[in-house]
Amino acid sequence: SKNWRNPGFSQDDSHPVACVSWNDAVAFTGWLTNKTGKSYRLPTEAEWEYAAKSGGKSEKYSGGNDIDSVAWYTSNSGSKTHPVGQKAANGLGIYDMSGNVWEWVQDWYDGSYYKNSPKDNPKGPNSGSYRVGRGGGWLYIARGVRASGRFGDTPVGRGYSLGLRLAGSR
C-alpha cells in the first residue's frame, strides 16, 4: 500500500497539495477510494466553477470581488503557498478556490468549448491533449486567480502552484 504525502516544497499538512500532475491526482483519488471505501474523484469543470462561485453567484473571485480577502496571489503571497483557510470562505463555506494553487479538474481542455457548449452542466470535450486546471495560484496576478480563470496542461505536467481538490460522496 502506497503512503501518500504532500509532494510540495517544504510544506506541512496545513498547506494545499502542490507539485502534482493530473495523473497523480487521479491515482490519489483511486487510492483514497480504496483506502476509505468512499467514492472520491476530481470534480468536473462545471462542478468546480459552480462551487467556486458560491453556488452560481456572479463573483469575480471565489467568495466575492475583494481579492485580498479571499485569495493568495502574487501581490500578497510572498511567493509561496499558505495554510488553507486563512482567507475568507466563499458562500458555500469553501476556502481557497481562488489563488494559493491551481486545482486539477476532470475535463479535457478546449479553449473554445464553452462558446458552443450547453449552458447547464456542460460535460466538457470528449478528448484532448490537455487537462483543465482552475483557480489560479500564488504566483499569478489578480486576473489569473478569477473564478472564471482556466488553463490547460498535459496530464503529466507539474508545477509549484498546481494541486487538486476532491469531489466525493458519502
Side-chain angles (χ1 to χ4, degrees):
S1 137
K2 184 171 182 163
N3 289 322
W4 290 86
R5 61 181 279 288
N6 190 346
F9 45 96
S10 302
Q11 300 179 134
D12 61 36
D13 290 341
S14 66
H15 287 254
V17 170
C19 303
V20 294
S21 70
W22 185 89
N23 289 340
D24 295 334
V26 170
F28 177 72
T29 63
W31 175 84
L32 189 60
T33 294
N34 288 334
K35 182 170 178 63
T36 65
K38 297 177 183 177
S39 180
Y40 292 95
R41 62 181 172 78
L42 294 177
T44 66
E45 187 169 9
E47 290 170 332
W48 189 96
E49 186 163 335
Y50 182 80
K53 292 185 175 182
S54 301
K57 294 180 181 172
S58 178
E59 298 178 338
K60 193 170 192 177
Y61 306 101
S62 182
N65 296 321
D66 177 12
I67 188 171
D68 288 310
S69 70
V70 297
W72 295 109
Y73 67 113
T74 191
S75 294
N76 67 5
S77 71
S79 299
K80 62 184 179 181
T81 64
H82 290 266
V84 173
Q86 291 186 336
K87 295 291 185 179
N90 73 7
L92 298 177
I94 305 172
Y95 294 90
D96 298 311
M97 290 190 81
S98 286
N100 224 1
V101 296
W102 285 96
E103 300 174 358
W104 286 114
V105 298
Q106 188 63 42
D107 300 40
W108 290 104
Y109 180 82
D110 178 342
S112 59
Y113 174 77
Y114 291 101
K115 291 178 184 172
N116 301 309
S117 71
K119 182 177 187 268
D120 295 330
N121 200 20
K123 302 297 183 197
N126 292 326
S127 63
S129 299
Y130 302 102
R131 293 292 186 166
V132 177
R134 297 295 304 259
W138 55 265
L139 55 78
Y140 285 81
I141 62 173
R143 181 174 182 194
V145 300
R146 292 178 303 183
S148 61
R150 58 196 298 263
F151 86 106
D153 198 359
T154 64
V156 297
R158 289 186 175 100
Y160 290 122
S161 69
L162 186 52
L164 68 138
R165 182 176 300 267
L166 301 181
S169 60
R170 296 175 196 217

